[in-house]
Amino acid sequence: MPITFLEDKKIFKLDTSSSTTILKIWDEGYLLCLYYGAKIPDTSFDGYEFRDWASSFSPRNEVIGENAFSPDTAPLEYSGFGTGDFRKTAAAIRNADGNDATDFRYVSHTVSPGVKKPAGMPGLWTVNESDAETLDILLRDRTTGAEVTLHYTVFADHPAVVRFVTLKNASDKPLDIEKLYSASVQLTTMDFDFVHLYGRWGAERNMARSPIEHGHTSISSTRGSSSHYHNPFAALVRHGATEDTGEVYGFNLVYSGSFDITADADYYETVRLNMGINPDGFLWHLEPGETFDTPEAVLVFSEEGLGGMSRAFHRLYLEHLIRGKYRTEKRPLLINSWEAAFFDFDTDKLVSFAERAREIGIDMLVMDDGWFGRRNNDTCSLGDWWVNEDKLPGGLGVLIDRVNALGLKFGIWYEPEMISPDSDLFRAHPDWCLHVPNRPNSIARHQYVIDMSRADVRENIWAQIDAVLSKYKIDYVKWDFNRNLSEAGSALLSAPHGEEIFHRFVLGTYEIMGRLTETYPDLLLENCSGGGGRFDPGMLYFSPQIWASDNTDALERIAIQFGTSLCYPASAMGAHVSMSRRTGFETKGNVAMWGTFGYELDPNRLTEKDLEIVKGQVTEYHKYYELIHYGDLYRVIDPWDDAYRAAWEFVSPDKREALYTEVVLRYRHCPTHFVRFKGLDPEKTYTLEGTDQKYSGALLMKAGLNLSRYPAGCGASFKLHFVAD
Ligand code: GLA
């Protein structure tokens, strides 16, 4: 069993497939984390004890005894603010008497099979209860009666622990939560680099790595969404660990709103990492008896470097996060109208795309922005989700029938969380957007944000979407979100609940997305946020794929996809071939094939030569679908380390097949270009497809092959497909 409790030693041992966590109930009920890291088989921890080294300035617990214990230096598993722990604490609660001192101590625990999930939020799931076990540890603040339950779901076959926290106001007075992190992680050293993903529109998820210094290292969002700028992912990487070797702790928050991940290196050179909802812009009021759940935090551990961490996240998400029909069923190959036509389309033009698409072998036409209200540009009509018959005479039915008659499925674009000031909906309900009284609303892309915290507003938006989806045969929805939240107030929320709006907004979005996926289980949902501005596990729970970036230039996409792959699987990365000019169609196809693959262009503008290449790509898409969607990813040449090339490789789980892709970023003449392949079976013999050459897995991985005879011009690319006997 993954969870063991050693009653005599008051120790919890949490064993995943390759990590161990040791928690100890210390004197006076303090819960300590003695260890988190590589798996330790021991079942007895005789002599493995906690020793405190409090400095004389640190307040002590008098009951335990002067010098014996200080909250400031102990590895507290979940510490409260204001009672002697001066590091970044996991929780801060404003009590009814106005003070915010909190101190949680052990009360009881339970162990149960399967997973637990925070109320109203996405979470990892299991089909078989034996896949995971959950430990719930109840802690109580003895003064106020506030109770926290720490939930730990431990996966037996993955190196993963999933955590969240429930806070219950078990007192007889109201309280306010100022901060409540999903997980607080104690490590016994600060010998780490902090790795995270930063970016901006069109350049999302670049990897950054810097040593942990004394003090705080932090990434966050206060935008109401996870954002383009920081992803809710971080890793603590042992100094010297590489892509393939060394210890890596990966952290990812299953949340799509404002978040914070902070590593705090203290004066005794240990690290505490807190992750959860950003306390900035957050205050949650609880009446007696009420509870609050945090989002889930996913903790993954690898001894095989960043690559091992990535593969652990990918497999965990493929098996226990992504849901629905299209988790396992082959997804339709789509063509999207956005870069092909922007707002300038009508029924005939879309049908002409579909006609050509059919010839190419594409399965679905997606009509992007511009089909509703009076929307001929981005200045109006969000909220008016009725069809624009000037563009689509006879309505959606006529268009969809014509597309379906060609044998193609049909998809549509929505941006449900937004409202244009120039819309019928806003004119009828000016208080349905986020706003605060007597303060002008900020505008972005000519739009305001809908008040998703309001049930009546959600009902209206849902009814509009449902009216379309229930009437027409729609196989796919692209759900967009094109600005961040400001003036975040709701006409229906006032003190003491006013500051709950950021989180209530996210809960509202989750509710309506849940309704959508439950009502239409056959629908393929793709999330999007001005490209990849909300690429997080919360969204992945609802939509198996997320548009990774509005930047469809193949060379720039490589960096985005490298970064994204740190945490998210290939099957989640929306990637299309477009008309971007810097490379030929071969390379555009090779890069997009690392993701969901599809097209974002006017197929009637393809030259005869490009048309043939595109048809070949469609054949390859089918050929490699399983390998890419369900295989293991190995990053081989990282474009951030190598100015000349980028390369990646997919290996099937049974290691019988591998696909290596390389793209030349800059030309450099060199007759030696040895590449050592990764993840193969050293015992197997592989044939390089298209040749008679056979190589052992050992040779391919240790000696490698000299690839200098393959295309080397700037922007060129090639694939090597190895198949074992
Ligand atoms: C966002 C998306 C694009 C497209 C446009 C439509 O920018 O990222 O793919 O859907 O909106 O307005």
Side-chain angles (χ1 to χ4, degrees):
M1 297 303 270
I3 297 168
T4 322
F5 181 56
L6 307 175
E7 178 77 56
D8 55 333
K9 299 191 175 66
K10 302 269 181 279
I11 278 181
F12 298 100
K13 184 166 184 263
L14 279 49
D15 288 315
T16 71
S17 62
S18 61
S19 72
T20 291
T21 306
I22 302 174
L23 305 177
K24 167 124 183 143
I25 308 164
W26 185 247
D27 294 357
E28 282 297 294
Y30 286 104
L31 185 68
L32 308 181
C33 178
L34 300 190
Y35 174 75
Y36 172 43
K39 192 160 182 168
I40 297 173
D42 304 26
T43 51
S44 158
F45 292 94
D46 291 338
Y48 188 71
E49 275 302 345
F50 161 68
R51 215 187 110 222
D52 202 11
W53 305 268
S55 86
S56 56
F57 278 90
S58 300
R60 320 293 169 83
N61 181 306
E62 242 183 337
V63 180
I64 298 178
E66 184 80 0
N67 296 331
F69 184 89
S70 140
D72 194 32
T73 47
L76 287 169
E77 177 67 355
Y78 203 79
S79 81
F81 181 80
T83 46
D85 185 346
F86 299 107
R87 295 165 292 182
K88 291 279 181 191
T89 55
I93 295 165
R94 183 155 300 261
N95 304 310
D97 54 10
N99 76 73
D100 49 13
T102 318
D103 182 1
F104 296 112
R105 310 286 182 87
Y106 174 85
V107 177
S108 62
H109 73 272
T110 55
V111 176
S112 49
V115 302
K116 292 244 166 84
K117 196 167 102 27
M121 270 180 283
L124 278 77
W125 51 267
T126 52
V127 176
N128 306 314
E129 288 209 322
S130 56
D131 288 349
E133 222 178 5
T134 297
L135 167 66
D136 301 311
I137 306 180
L138 177 66
L139 310 178
R140 181 177 295 135
D141 177 57
R142 295 173 180 175
T143 305
T144 62
E147 291 179 349
V148 296
T149 304
L150 311 181
H151 309 277
Y152 303 81
T153 293
V154 185
F155 283 86
D157 298 329
H158 295 266
V161 178
V162 176
R163 295 174 52 174
F164 74 97
V165 172
T166 302
L167 189 130
K168 179 173 182 187
N169 182 358
S171 74
D172 56 1
K173 300 190 188 72
L175 58 77
D176 292 306
I177 309 171
E178 293 175 329
K179 67 173 169 180
L180 194 73
Y181 282 101
S182 300
S184 188
V185 182
Q186 291 282 163
L187 298 169
T188 53
T189 169
M190 60 179 275
D191 179 24
F192 293 111
D193 293 337
F194 188 82
V195 166
H196 65 100
L197 299 170
Y198 71 94
R200 56 186 175 275
W201 178 85
E204 295 89 341
R205 290 174 298 286
N206 306 280
M207 183 177 123
R209 177 171 179 163
S210 57
I212 287 280
E213 300 285 1
H214 286 272
H216 308 142
T217 311
S218 188
I219 55 161
S220 66
S221 163
T222 51
R223 297 165 181 273
S225 74
S226 46
S227 92
H228 295 85
Y229 309 92
H230 288 293
N231 194 266
F233 157 83
L236 289 175
V237 180
R238 279 269 185 188
H239 287 153
T242 66
E243 172 67 19
D244 299 310
T245 60
E247 291 185 340
V248 178
Y249 298 79
F251 307 100
N252 198 200
L253 193 68
V254 188
Y255 193 55
S256 311
S258 300
F259 73 91
D260 176 60
I261 304 178
T262 296
D264 182 356
D266 65 17
Y267 56 88
Y268 282 153
E269 304 188 342
T270 70
V271 168
R272 169 183 292 164
L273 182 136
N274 291 329
M275 60 191 297
I277 294 177
N278 196 334
D280 279 353
F282 174 84
L283 190 71
W284 196 274
H285 183 77
L286 281 187
E287 289 294 328
E290 289 182 339
T291 60
F292 178 85
D293 282 348
T294 70
E296 287 189 349
V298 181
L299 283 62
V300 151
F301 177 78
S302 159
E303 287 184 286
E304 289 166 21
L306 284 162
M309 176 204 70
S310 298
R311 287 185 290 281
F313 272 123
H314 298 172
R315 198 136 302 285
L316 183 71
Y317 288 173
L318 288 173
E319 292 177 15
H320 296 289
L321 177 68
I322 295 168
R323 299 175 308 151
K325 171 172 156 175
Y326 287 110
R327 182 174 79 88
T328 48
E329 203 162 294
K330 193 163 179 181
R331 304 188 198 154
L333 172 54
L334 68 84
I335 185 163
N336 177 296
S337 69
W338 180 242
E339 287 190 39
F342 297 105
F343 295 100
D344 179 20
F345 60 80
D346 57 19
T347 303
D348 286 342
K349 190 187 260 190
L350 292 174
V351 171
S352 80
F353 293 169
E355 280 164 349
R356 216 13 158 17
R358 177 182 63 166
E359 215 184 296
I360 295 168
I362 289 170
D363 305 314
M364 180 162 73
L365 175 76
V366 174
M367 175 176 65
D368 208 281
D369 193 356
W371 62 269
F372 52 90
R374 294 176 193 84
R375 189 136 164 120
N376 294 315
N377 52 50
D378 64 10
T379 61
C380 71
S381 298
L382 295 169
D384 295 345
W385 300 110
W386 38 266
V387 69
N388 178 345
E389 294 216 20
D390 292 342
K391 279 184 177 175
L392 307 176
L396 280 174
V398 172
L399 169 64
I400 295 173
D401 284 350
R402 288 178 66 188
V403 171
N404 287 166
L406 292 164
L408 267 73
K409 295 176 187 293
F410 182 80
I412 199 166
W413 182 95
Y414 277 100
E415 196 175 357
E417 297 148 285
M418 297 291 160
I419 185 165
S420 306
D422 180 5
S423 66
D424 292 352
L425 191 71
F426 185 75
R427 281 182 282 273
H429 303 284
D431 66 338
W432 278 17
C433 66
L434 294 182
H435 65 285
V436 288
N438 306 319
R439 188 176 292 283
N441 250 8
S442 303
I443 193 120
R445 210 194 187 206
H446 313 283
Q447 61 201 54
Y448 296 154
V449 183
I450 279 241
D451 184 353
M452 294 297 283
S453 75
R454 285 178 64 158
D456 57 344
V457 177
R458 291 201 301 274
E459 196 52 48
N460 176 290
I461 297 300
W462 168 254
Q464 291 199 57
I465 295 174
D466 190 41
V468 172
L469 298 189
S470 60
K471 186 160 178 205
Y472 302 107
K473 201 181 161 319
I474 292 178
D475 302 291
Y476 162 109
V477 163
K478 178 174 170 186
W479 180 305
D480 215 333
F481 177 84
N482 277 309
R483 65 160 286 183
N484 295 137
L485 278 52
S486 61
E487 295 83 33
S490 166
L492 298 192
L493 276 184
S494 54
H497 295 286
E499 288 167 85
E500 296 170 6
I501 183 70
F502 276 102
H503 184 56
R504 286 191 184 275
F505 179 89
V506 178
L507 293 177
T509 294
Y510 286 155
E511 194 240 17
I512 199 167
M513 278 188 185
R515 212 162 162 184
L516 179 65
T517 51
E518 272 154 38
T519 313
Y520 298 99
D522 290 338
L523 190 79
L524 174 57
L525 183 63
E526 176 155 358
N527 256 281
C528 174
S529 171
R534 206 162 54 171
F535 205 121
D536 60 61
M539 287 293 139
L540 212 46
Y541 176 80
F542 296 101
S543 60
Q545 57 194 56
I546 304 175
W547 183 228
S549 178
D550 278 343
N551 189 338
T552 54
D553 176 273
L555 298 184
E556 291 179 28
R557 259 293 179 132
I558 291 173
I560 295 168
Q561 294 181 184
F562 259 81
T564 306
S565 77
L566 228 56
C567 197
Y568 307 102
S571 68
M573 281 200 278
H576 296 166
V577 172
S578 75
M579 291 304 261
S580 66
R581 294 212 185 81
R582 285 208 301 159
T583 63
F585 269 85
E586 292 92 345
T587 295
K588 293 183 214 186
N590 285 337
V591 173
M593 220 163 276
W594 182 351
T596 56
F597 196 75
Y599 290 89
E600 181 112 4
L601 45 74
D602 177 349
N604 296 306
R605 284 178 52 214
L606 291 172
T607 63
E608 282 306 313
K609 179 173 157 266
D610 290 338
L611 190 63
E612 286 316 304
I613 296 172
V614 164
K615 285 181 182 169
Q617 287 169 349
V618 171
T619 306
E620 288 194 335
Y621 163 79
H622 293 294
K623 177 175 171 184
Y624 298 127
Y625 185 91
E626 299 277 323
L627 179 55
I628 292 171
H629 279 237
Y630 307 116
D632 286 314
L633 170 75
Y634 291 83
R635 291 176 292 259
V636 183
I637 307 175
D638 185 335
W640 297 101
D641 292 344
D642 187 305
Y644 297 94
R645 290 163 194 275
W648 58 94
E649 187 190 334
F650 285 96
V651 180
S652 61
D654 63 5
K655 297 192 182 289
R656 299 197 66 80
E657 203 187 347
L659 179 68
Y660 170 85
T661 306
E662 181 175 311
V663 179
V664 181
L665 304 174
R666 271 166 69 194
Y667 173 72
R668 178 175 59 174
H669 174 71
C670 183
T672 52
H673 169 41
F674 281 91
V675 168
R676 296 199 288 177
F677 301 92
K678 298 184 183 181
L680 305 175
D681 180 345
E683 307 283 326
K684 285 191 166 52
T685 302
Y686 293 87
T687 304
L688 175 58
E689 193 180 65
T691 73
D692 297 330
Q693 294 298 327
K694 287 183 184 293
Y695 309 95
S696 74
L699 181 138
L700 290 171
M701 289 195 292
K702 291 187 189 310
L705 295 182
N706 184 348
L707 305 184
S708 59
R709 68 197 159 96
Y710 290 96
C714 184
S717 65
F718 59 91
K719 293 196 286 297
L720 304 178
H721 185 212
F722 296 97
V723 182
D725 291 348

